[in-house]
């Protein structure tokens, strides 16, 4: 690589004031939104934000079941951390685990009827909170734009992770 090219690579590309304001606002949103949603879930249904989403992911799957390794990816958590969480959900009767019938080396998490009923009871208040702090403050055009932005950034992240 030429000396000129190396200096171009090493030179930081600082954010301008608009970019910095957008970035800082987004980071603040990332920090505060889960807390705002978690407090409602804890108060109303004694579920953490991640527990709610694990149950919701399972409820959307055929047979309300999913491999633990795939669920960990969807929940953006490590398999060992997910295993502990699923253990807590098992104690509450919301989830059970069993070997994957197609490949016994894998374990599936299965949403029980009691877990589905509990999730169905928790969902209305959670959705109301999501609407209150997020959906209803944005216009339909802003929501579509946010969706496109999210997809673009996620695609870049996934591409970089290879």
């Amino acid at each position: 690589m030429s000396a000129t090219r190396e200096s171009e690579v090493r030179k930081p590309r600082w954010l301008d004031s608009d970019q910095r304001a957008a970035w800082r606002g987004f980071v603040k949103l990332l920090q505060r939104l889960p807390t705002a949603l978690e407090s409602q879930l804890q108060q109303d249904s004694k579920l953490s934000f991640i527990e709610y989403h694990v149950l919701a992911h399972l409820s959307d799957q055929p047979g309300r079941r999913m491999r633990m390794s795939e669920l960990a990816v969807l929940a953006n958590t490590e398999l060992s951390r997910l295993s502990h969480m699923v253990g807590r959900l098992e104690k509450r009767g919301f989830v059970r685990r069993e070997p994957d019938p197609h490949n016994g080396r894998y374990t599936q998490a299965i949403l029980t009827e009691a877990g589905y009923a509990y999730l169905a009871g928790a969902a209305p208040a959670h959705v109301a909170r999501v609407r209150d702090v997020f959906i209803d403050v944005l216009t339909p055009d802003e929501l579509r734009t946010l969706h496109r932005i999210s997809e673009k950034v996620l695609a870049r992240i996934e591409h970089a992770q290879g």
Side-chain angles (χ1 to χ4, degrees):
M1 187 180 297
S2 71
T4 304
R5 180 73 179 129
E6 280 185 36
S7 67
E8 288 173 7
V9 170
R10 290 186 191 154
K11 184 178 178 181
R13 292 180 51 218
W14 300 112
L15 303 179
D16 65 29
S17 61
D18 289 340
Q19 292 167 333
R20 194 170 42 253
W23 175 245
R24 287 181 177 164
F26 181 70
V27 168
K28 191 172 187 177
L29 174 64
L30 286 176
Q31 293 169 334
R32 300 208 42 205
L33 183 60
T35 302
L37 297 175
E38 173 113 18
S39 63
Q40 174 275 316
L41 283 166
Q42 283 289 341
Q43 181 179 335
D44 293 347
S45 61
K46 309 296 185 248
L47 290 171
S48 70
F49 185 71
I50 190 73
E51 288 170 337
Y52 178 89
H53 285 282
V54 163
L55 295 175
H57 280 304
L58 287 172
S59 75
D60 291 339
Q61 300 303 310
R64 298 184 187 146
R65 59 178 54 227
M66 188 174 206
R67 283 184 178 171
M68 291 281 290
S69 54
E70 294 170 358
L71 188 56
V73 171
L74 280 176
N76 194 34
T77 191
E78 297 169 0
L79 186 55
S80 61
R81 185 173 293 220
L82 177 71
S83 184
H84 288 295
M85 180 194 330
V86 168
R88 290 190 304 272
L89 294 170
E90 276 182 308
K91 287 178 184 173
R92 294 174 74 180
F94 298 163
V95 176
R96 73 176 190 278
R97 286 183 264 197
E98 61 185 47
D100 185 323
H102 303 291
N103 186 336
R105 294 179 297 168
Y106 295 99
T107 300
Q108 289 190 333
I110 301 147
L111 183 64
T112 65
E113 287 300 321
Y116 184 78
Y118 197 83
L119 178 66
H126 178 63
V127 171
R129 182 68 173 155
V130 169
R131 284 191 159 286
D132 180 51
V133 301
F134 191 82
I135 300 296
D136 293 344
V137 299
L138 300 173
T139 67
D141 283 343
E142 288 170 330
L143 285 169
R144 283 189 290 276
T145 299
L146 180 60
H147 182 243
R148 285 192 306 272
I149 290 167
S150 298
E151 292 297 316
K152 286 175 76 171
V153 173
L154 288 169
R156 176 66 63 100
I157 290 168
E158 289 168 7
H159 181 266
Q161 292 175 344

